Structure formats: C-alpha cells, structure tokens
Amino acid sequence: MSRIPDTQMTPDGPAYEGRLLDRADEPVVDQGAPFDIRTLVSRRGILGLVVLGAGTATLAACAPSASGAATTTATVTPTATPTASATPSATATSAAAALPSGEIPDETAGPYPGDGSNGPDILEQSGIVRSDLRSSLDGGATASGVPMTLNLTIFDSANGDVPFAGAAVYVWHCDDQGRYSMYSSGIENESYLRGVQVVGSDGVVSFTSIFPGCYDGRWPHIHFEVYPNVDAITDASNAIATSQVALPQAACDVVYADAAYPSSASNLTRVSLESDNVFGDDGGALELATATGDNTTGWTVALGVRVDTATTPTAGAMPGGAPGGR
C-alpha cells in the first residue's frame, strides 16, 4: 500500500520539503503538476551534486535510457524487416538534435489536445509531469505497441538559439489503433500517451512511449505544445509553440508490418507528406524527425525544434473534430 507523504505545519500553512502547498486543503499527491515538478527539480538538484562528485565516467556509465533497449540505432530502408542486431547508441547526453534551419511551424493541436482548450484537461492533473507515457495516470490501461523513445531538442531562437532550459513540453499522440485517450470511443476514461517534461540544460526532453499508428486521412505524427515554464501548462493559451512531429516513412513501413498495427499499413498507402493537410505545405521540411532502431529493441525518434518567443503563436485546438486537423 502506498503512503501519502507527511506535511509539516508552519506559521504560513502546511508545507512539504520546505515548500508551502499550493492547495492547503489537499494532500501532497493532489497538489497538481506545478507543485510536482518543483519537487522533482529539487530532487534532481540533489542528485546532480552526487553525480558530479562521482565523476563523468560514472555519469556516462549510469545514464538511463528512456525505455531500456529502445535507445538503439540501425540503418532502415522501407523494405527492411525487424532485426535485433542494431548497434547501441551513445549515452543519453548525445540525444540532442541538430539546430534546424528555421522556426518550427505553427500547426493545429487538433480536436484531441486534452489541454482544456477542447473538452477534458489533463494538464491540471497531478502526475502529468512524467517521462513514461504508456500508462494512464490513474493506473488504468497501458498502451501496447512497438516501443519508442521520443527526443525533442528545444532551442530558444529569441536568445541566440541556446537550449530553452526550463521550458515545458506537452506531448500527445494516438495509440497503435489510431485512437486518442480521453476522446476516442472506449478509451474516454484513459489518459495514456500524454505527458509533460521540462527542458534540461542540454535543451532535450525525452519521452518513453509507443510508435503511433496511422489512421485514415493523416500522415503518422506526434503533437506537442511548448510552454515558457511548467507553471504555465494549466492554461493552454500560454503555449508559445504548437506543432507536430512527422514520422519518417522508412520507419513507418517497418513498424506497420507488425501485427499490433492491423490497419496502419493500408492507411499509409493513401496519404503522403505532400498530400497531408498539415505537413503538405512544405512536405514537413522542419517537422520530419529522424528514426533509428527496430521493432524488437524499439525506435528512437528525434527532432530539433526552434521556438521564437518574439513571434505570436497562431496555432491551437480545432474544436469539432474535423478530420483534417487531427
């Protein structure tokens, strides 16, 4: 049985680890995402001091991958078959993607954002700040499918394209059947394949998930929103960038040969990056990720994202569920 952490009473109200609770009448586990991440950051700071004392060699040896064997690389062609002979990647410190040539395009968040702009809001829930997206927050269903690690490198263009440390990135995508938790029939009460990470000093956020399926009418993709900090995620209007990651066809062809994706292969034959109504303007030039790996050990999907806070965001949710903006 899990134990609810104890709080301490101070002259200013109840506190946990020296910080006043955001919601004084609620237990620690129900304080919401901003309080959760401040707790996480505090613990990371302590861990960082220990790691530095142990030396860089130990850091490299102990750097955890996002999903076990999913941090592998392999040369992939559209006709390749799954193989377990992929070459291990470098440590997690090499996850950063190269600086792209332009600002990430604004794209629709679609009708299934889960950020409160079109129905349910997961960003108010405690536990949403997490790296493993495969399970629902309340311990419900867990998404099945080919393992995937998603690495996004966020650059702050308004400040010389330095890593956008401290920004918060909310990611969501469909499951292997093309369904979205919180919205699709049968999984309205699930919250898997959604989560937030805070950008580190290297600019990278990393998520453990499953490779999204391809549903009819859209190129395979992953949605994301960038917020200036984690406290801002509780209001979708605070997003400073809303866009999508396009998945490369070579990886999709291999993944969709897996039995877990019964309709994705045929759906993919009816769409292209050029015909897709989100990526079609330029074929996803700044949104097309790299993908390395295989179906057995998993895939690593990576994209560099330039965010310019000097420009006004133009994207957002698209109410009503119009098929083209999913």
Side-chain angles (χ1 to χ4, degrees):
M1 179 180 297
S2 61
R3 183 178 69 85
I4 296 176
D6 295 327
T7 58
Q8 300 82 42
M9 185 55 65
T10 73
D12 296 318
Y16 176 66
E17 294 187 350
R19 295 185 315 288
L20 293 176
L21 301 187
D22 291 342
R23 304 170 183 172
D25 56 343
E26 299 287 346
V28 172
V29 294
D30 292 327
Q31 291 301 301
F35 188 87
D36 288 350
I37 192 58
R38 289 197 296 274
T39 299
L40 179 63
V41 169
S42 175
R43 290 173 179 170
R44 279 180 176 171
I46 296 172
L47 177 61
L49 293 175
V50 175
V51 170
L52 285 174
T56 56
T58 302
L59 176 62
C62 299
S65 65
S67 62
T71 55
T72 60
T73 59
T75 301
V76 179
T77 63
T79 57
T81 55
T83 174
S85 60
T87 302
S89 69
T91 62
T93 56
S94 65
L99 178 70
S101 60
E103 180 184 3
I104 192 73
D106 285 326
E107 306 289 9
T108 176
Y112 315 122
D115 60 5
S117 62
N118 187 31
D121 188 353
I122 197 173
L123 298 181
E124 290 276 6
Q125 297 186 30
S126 182
I128 187 57
V129 180
R130 58 181 183 162
S131 60
D132 193 331
L133 312 183
R134 293 172 293 183
S135 62
S136 292
L137 290 181
D138 60 0
T142 297
S144 61
V146 172
M148 178 191 72
T149 297
L150 173 66
N151 294 325
L152 299 178
T153 306
I154 314 298
F155 299 94
D156 184 356
S157 291
N159 289 293
D161 289 317
V162 298
F164 207 145
V169 181
Y170 169 44
V171 161
W172 72 99
H173 63 81
C174 71
D175 63 14
D176 56 352
Q177 308 297 307
R179 305 173 302 174
Y180 285 88
S181 66
M182 305 176 71
Y183 293 89
S184 297
S185 177
I187 57 172
E188 299 94 330
N189 296 324
E190 304 298 341
S191 54
Y192 56 61
L193 307 183
R194 299 176 182 273
V196 173
Q197 282 283 278
V198 176
V199 179
S201 60
D202 59 356
V204 178
V205 288
S206 185
F207 298 90
T208 300
S209 193
I210 59 105
F211 202 96
C214 178
Y215 50 83
D216 197 25
R218 278 302 317 277
W219 186 261
H221 62 281
I222 299 168
H223 292 269
F224 67 94
E225 293 172 338
V226 181
Y227 291 82
N229 52 65
V230 75
D231 293 319
I233 69 173
T234 54
D235 186 344
S237 66
N238 291 331
I240 54 179
T242 301
S243 197
Q244 300 182 25
V245 179
L247 299 173
Q249 183 169 357
C252 292
D253 286 339
V254 178
V255 172
Y256 298 156
D258 190 281
Y261 298 81
S263 59
S264 291
S266 60
N267 289 337
L268 188 64
T269 64
R270 294 190 290 273
V271 66
S272 68
L273 278 168
E274 290 70 30
S275 67
D276 185 76
N277 68 349
V278 171
F279 302 124
D281 289 345
D282 58 3
L286 293 171
E287 297 157 289
L288 184 60
T290 61
T292 55
D294 57 63
N295 289 3
T296 302
T297 59
W299 293 84
T300 296
V301 173
L303 181 69
V305 176
R306 291 176 76 181
V307 175
D308 191 351
T309 55
T311 62
T312 302
T314 60
M318 184 179 63
R326 292 179 289 183

